[in-house]
Amino acid sequence: MPARTIFLLHFATAPFAIIPPFKLGEIVRFYTLWTISRKLSETIVTVLLDRLFDAIILSLLLAWLVINDHIDSVMDESTRTVQWMILAVTISAGVCFLIGPRALSSLQRYVMIHHSGRNVLVSLRLIDVLRKGTTSGEGLLRQQGPLLMMITVLIWGLELVAAALFTPIAIFPEFHNAGVLLINRTVQEWHAAFSSFIDPALATSAASSILAIFIVWPPSVYGYLTRIITPSSRRQRLK
């Protein structure tokens, strides 16, 4: 998919991501990608790669906070949980897409040489499905990886700039940093609905993010549908 189409797709599905109890934006985006490619494995791999790049950006942001001694202000239980999740996603995706194809091919050869029986065919089929999926992921990572990474950096950069605009109104000194504010908002967005007191910077940053999403949503949907429908109409006319 072209870069502009991917960028528009992100904002077109963004409002669904704030619907609890699940990130429905991923489900909507998954279905949209599947309707375009009609290949389930490639759709799954694309969504996983997108989450991998998000995990990389969050890891870099957390590392920057640690280096600049800002990590104490975000080291609560929920943030530690998010850190472990980010680390798990990054390592798992790296293993799947960089080591998985060769490791699964070696496992296939080992099973074929050293094992026999009716259940071996089932095991080989399962291993082959996983091998094809990781191989597809490795190919997409090489072809679309730089493009997806640039889009991810752009989106998180816009988030960081937006968070920086609201740090001066924070009551607590730990929020007087755009990175800390962004991490806290990312971690505490679901806790905010049940909290008795919310820091004004955190509340304003979250509210402005939601407002910006709904302002950008109509033109994003229009632009995305235009880019998707127009080529399809041209192909039908040519046929």
Side-chain angles (χ1 to χ4, degrees):
M1 293 177 64
R4 282 181 292 178
T5 305
I6 298 174
F7 192 72
L8 289 170
L9 177 61
H10 170 81
F11 288 102
T13 57
F16 301 98
I18 61 176
I19 301 176
F22 307 105
K23 286 179 67 70
L24 295 184
E26 293 301 326
I27 299 175
V28 175
R29 198 157 64 90
F30 179 89
Y31 175 77
T32 305
L33 289 171
W34 178 75
T35 56
I36 296 171
S37 66
R38 291 296 177 183
K39 294 181 180 179
L40 184 61
S41 60
E42 289 189 2
T43 304
I44 294 174
V45 167
T46 302
V47 174
L48 289 176
L49 285 177
D50 205 9
R51 296 286 69 78
L52 169 62
F53 292 131
D54 278 340
I56 291 173
I57 295 298
L58 282 171
S59 299
L60 292 175
L61 181 57
L62 285 169
W64 177 75
L65 292 175
V66 171
I67 293 172
N68 290 276
D69 296 325
H70 293 299
I71 198 63
D72 290 339
S73 58
V74 295
M75 280 301 294
D76 57 8
E77 183 177 353
S78 56
T79 306
R80 283 194 294 270
T81 302
V82 171
Q83 285 177 308
W84 283 111
M85 290 172 62
I86 292 170
L87 185 61
V89 168
T90 306
I91 293 176
S92 300
V95 169
C96 286
F97 298 136
L98 300 178
I99 303 175
R102 285 167 289 279
L104 290 170
S105 296
S106 300
L107 180 60
Q108 272 185 316
R109 287 193 295 269
Y110 175 83
V111 172
M112 290 176 65
I113 294 172
H114 294 90
H115 295 274
S116 61
R118 187 177 299 174
N119 294 330
V120 173
L121 291 176
V122 178
S123 301
L124 286 173
R125 259 192 223 103
L126 178 60
I127 295 172
D128 193 55
V129 169
L130 294 175
R131 183 188 61 80
K132 288 179 179 178
T134 54
T135 303
S136 175
E138 185 183 28
L140 284 174
L141 183 60
R142 291 179 179 179
Q143 295 172 7
Q144 295 278 3
L147 175 62
L148 291 173
M149 189 63 183
M150 285 190 295
I151 293 175
T152 303
V153 169
L154 176 60
I155 291 171
W156 279 97
L158 292 173
E159 286 275 354
L160 197 60
V161 170
L165 297 176
F166 300 102
T167 51
I169 65 172
I171 293 177
F172 299 117
E174 61 262 26
F175 287 139
H176 283 211
N177 179 284
V180 174
L181 180 61
L182 181 57
I183 288 292
N184 273 273
R185 196 189 75 196
T186 303
V187 174
Q188 300 182 22
E189 59 182 352
W190 299 116
H191 299 286
F194 307 100
S195 176
S196 59
F197 176 78
I198 305 173
D199 184 87
L202 189 60
T204 307
S205 181
S208 63
S209 177
I210 295 173
L211 179 62
I213 286 173
F214 281 100
I215 290 175
V216 175
W217 186 60
S220 298
V221 172
Y222 175 78
Y224 173 75
L225 292 178
T226 301
R227 292 183 64 82
I228 293 298
I229 294 173
T230 302
S232 301
S233 301
R234 287 176 181 172
R235 282 195 297 268
Q236 289 177 358
R237 286 197 299 268
L238 288 173
K239 291 180 180 179

